Amino acid sequence: MWQTGYYRLRQFWRGWFATIDPAELQHALAYLPPPAQMRFQALPIDAQRHSLNVLQTLQQRSAVPDDLTDDLAAAALLHDIGKLAADEAGLRINLWVRGPLVLLEKVAPRWLERWASPEATQGWRYLLYVHLGHPTIGAQWATAWGCTPLTCWLIAHHQDKLTATPGNEAEQLLILLQWADSLN
């Protein structure tokens, strides 16, 4: 529990002081189709920074086959894009909300699921729903924006816990994405 709290506190401070270099952003956007580029830039700066850090962590690891690099890069950038669904409802999963949501999910996951509502008019209850469902929401959007099926699968499953040894390349990439996400 303390480790989770320390990680979230560090993540909060990194997000509070987040900046993005324009050249870095342009490099990253090259992995995304134009509609996804626009949506990525709609993320709050701290969320963009987090995704860019995940991408950089993956790019520093050379074990990804060249033909899968673009799919993994796009998934790294868009893995949390579904959280924008809250913005569309006039809500925002920002730094002040994200930490308590994650801690609540660790401490009382059943409460979080019970309180969540798929109705955008339900305010904070919809925020809980988006927090829990953002992988599915993000994957659906990424599909509509023209991302590859593999990218969309990685987004949809980025919070899944694999219970067995990876059985295919997609699951191996998922483990890499989760690893990089956990470091950032």
Side-chain angles (χ1 to χ4, degrees), residues 11 15 57 60 86 120:
Q11 192 177 40
T57 299
Q60 292 168 358

Side-chain angles (χ1 to χ4, degrees), residues 125-138:
R125 295 182 67 206
Y126 181 68
L127 233 132
L128 300 178
Y129 170 80
V130 171
H131 172 73
L132 293 172
H134 78 272
T136 302
I137 296 166

Side-chain angles (χ1 to χ4, degrees), residues 85-147:
D87 286 34
E88 292 180 355
L91 306 165
R92 180 159 272 202
I93 300 177
N94 60 27
L95 277 172
W96 298 103
V97 172
R98 193 174 310 117
L101 280 176
V102 171
L103 291 174
L104 180 61
E105 188 172 12
K106 291 281 185 196
V107 174
R110 294 196 194 280
W111 289 359
L112 196 68
E113 292 168 9
R114 193 173 323 136
W115 293 337
S117 171
E119 298 298 322
T121 58
Q122 293 295 307
W124 66 270
R125 295 182 67 206
Y126 181 68
L127 233 132
L128 300 178
Y129 170 80
V130 171
H131 172 73
L132 293 172
H134 78 272
T136 302
I137 296 166
Q140 290 170 348
W141 287 352
T143 299
W145 301 331
C147 291

Side-chain angles (χ1 to χ4, degrees), residues 9-172:
L9 185 60
R10 189 182 102 224
Q11 192 177 40
F12 175 86
W13 285 114
R14 288 174 77 182
W16 185 263
F17 295 105
T19 60
I20 297 173
D21 178 80
E24 172 186 34
L25 178 63
Q26 289 308 308
H27 167 75
L29 292 178
Y31 292 106
L32 303 175
Q37 291 175 4
M38 291 178 9
R39 293 308 297 264
F40 178 80
Q41 293 178 85
L43 284 168
I45 294 297
D46 66 293
Q48 289 181 43
R49 176 78 267 152
H50 166 70
S51 293
L52 290 167
N53 289 345
V54 172
L55 175 62
Q56 288 172 354
T57 299
L58 288 168
Q59 289 180 332
Q60 292 168 358
R61 183 179 174 104
S62 61
V64 178
D66 288 342
D67 61 329
L68 302 175
T69 300
D70 291 355
D71 292 309
L72 185 58
L77 293 169
L78 298 176
H79 72 280
D80 284 338
I81 199 73
K83 292 179 181 179
L84 282 179
D87 286 34
E88 292 180 355
L91 306 165
R92 180 159 272 202
I93 300 177
N94 60 27
L95 277 172
W96 298 103
V97 172
R98 193 174 310 117
L101 280 176
V102 171
L103 291 174
L104 180 61
E105 188 172 12
K106 291 281 185 196
V107 174
R110 294 196 194 280
W111 289 359
L112 196 68
E113 292 168 9
R114 193 173 323 136
W115 293 337
S117 171
E119 298 298 322
T121 58
Q122 293 295 307
W124 66 270
R125 295 182 67 206
Y126 181 68
L127 233 132
L128 300 178
Y129 170 80
V130 171
H131 172 73
L132 293 172
H134 78 272
T136 302
I137 296 166
Q140 290 170 348
W141 287 352
T143 299
W145 301 331
C147 291
T148 67
L150 177 56
T151 295
C152 297
W153 185 87
L154 290 167
I155 294 167
H157 296 281
H158 81 270
Q159 291 192 323
D160 292 0
K161 305 290 186 238
L162 292 179
T163 57
T165 304
N168 56 44
E169 282 184 326
E171 289 178 351
Q172 291 171 350

